[in-house]
Structures are given as C-alpha cells and as structure tokens.
C-alpha cells in the first residue's frame, strides 16, 4: 500500500514536470522498486533522474511489480531487459502510456493486490482487489430464468 501511494504521488509530480519542462519521462519497474527516467533528445538516450530527490525510491523487499499495457492480454513482470528502457511513459504533450501497474507483496497472506491504473492523460487511479485462484462466481440468475435481466 505504501509503495502504491508513493508511486501515485510521484506519477502526479512527473506528469506536471513532463508538461512544464517539455520532457518525456519514463518509468522502469524493477524487482522491489522503480526508477524515473528522462529522455535526452540530444543523444536520444534515457537517463535516470538522479538529480530529482522527489523521484528517489527506497526498495520494498518482497514486492513484485508488473505492468500491463491497456491493450495487452498479459502483464510483464519487473523490467529485466538490459539498459535503461522504460515500461511506460509520461509525455510532454500530456499523454501517457495507458495500462495497469500491479503491486504484489510476497508476504501478504490476505491476498490483497494493489494496483494503479494509468490513463492516457496520465492520471494514476488506485484500485485494489483480492487475488483469487477460484473461478469467478456464477450469477444467481440462470439464462432461462424469468427473473434474469434482459
């Protein structure tokens, strides 16, 4: 929950900075943490925003982060690609890569899964759900039941 709240606040700030300073800002998910990146147009490379204290992240032991693009069918686990490549971006135009960031804690016996939904305009909306290995509950209405909504 703390990790989700921290990221949500940082994403809101990054969105403002991206538009104000006309920067492309990326977020790279790591096991137990994340990094904010800025795109240098001069050499077309990403760099860690190490000079911005608001974007420093302490590691969260036992936390697994995953990203799922809005149009993808499966989530990608914490970025294990070589080099500084963001999982998603906040752009200078005010747009963002829409999708879902999931926060799974290995030591959470309740099965609570925190997530942030990132909209195409960069809003990060908090959601939570219970993990379930069971099948989805079936509606109490049968398809041939006269009470079933039409």
């Amino acid at each position: 929950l703390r990790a989700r709240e921290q990221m949500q606040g940082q994403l809101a700030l990054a969105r403002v900075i991206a538009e104000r300073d006309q920067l492309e800002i990326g977020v790279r998910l790591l096991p137990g943490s994340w990094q904010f990146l800025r795109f240098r147009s001069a050499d077309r490379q990403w760099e860690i925003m190490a000079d911005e204290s608001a974007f420093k992240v302490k590691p969260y032991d036992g936390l697994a982060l995953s990203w799922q693009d809005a149009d993808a069918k499966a989530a990608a686990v914490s970025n294990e690609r070589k080099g500084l490549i963001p999982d998603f971006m906040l752009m200078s135009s005010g747009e963002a890569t829409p999708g879902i960031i999931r926060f799974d804690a290995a030591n959470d016996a309740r099965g609570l899964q925190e997530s942030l939904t990132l909209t195409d305009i960069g809003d990060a909306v908090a959601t939570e759900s219970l993990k379930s290995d069971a099948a989805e509950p079936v509606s109490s209405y049968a398809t041939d039941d006269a009470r079933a909504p039409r």
Side-chain angles (χ1 to χ4, degrees):
L1 180 60
R2 281 192 306 270
R4 187 205 70 200
E5 289 172 348
Q6 180 182 8
M7 183 182 277
Q8 189 174 16
Q10 288 176 324
L11 288 171
L13 178 60
R15 177 182 172 198
V16 169
I17 290 172
E19 289 184 56
R20 181 194 70 196
D21 298 346
Q22 290 297 287
L23 293 171
E24 311 309 325
I25 296 177
V27 179
R28 181 177 183 229
L29 301 178
L30 304 167
S33 190
W34 57 92
Q35 293 174 321
F36 280 85
L37 311 172
R38 107 175 33 103
F39 188 73
R40 292 187 315 245
S41 54
D43 61 357
R44 306 190 53 77
Q45 298 291 318
W46 289 98
E47 69 179 355
I48 299 170
M49 295 177 71
D51 57 337
E52 298 281 348
S53 60
F55 296 122
K56 296 215 184 307
V57 179
K58 72 176 186 79
Y60 290 93
D61 291 332
L63 182 68
L65 296 163
S66 61
W67 168 256
Q68 182 174 349
D69 281 323
D71 58 353
K73 298 202 185 320
V77 181
S78 304
N79 193 335
E80 295 182 8
R81 292 174 283 180
K82 302 270 190 240
L84 293 176
I85 300 171
D87 289 290
F88 58 93
M89 297 188 317
L90 300 161
M91 293 166 258
S92 57
S93 64
E95 297 173 289
T97 309
I100 299 171
I101 309 155
R102 287 196 172 78
F103 300 78
D104 289 304
N107 59 356
D108 185 1
R110 299 170 299 156
L112 190 62
Q113 182 181 62
E114 298 287 335
S115 64
L116 285 172
T117 299
L118 189 64
T119 68
D120 60 351
I121 58 168
D123 288 330
V125 181
T127 53
E128 64 180 40
S129 63
L130 287 174
K131 291 184 222 170
S132 174
D133 295 332
E136 290 292 316
V138 178
S139 170
S140 59
Y141 294 110
T143 55
D144 59 339
D145 189 337
R147 298 175 296 150
R150 305 261 182 239

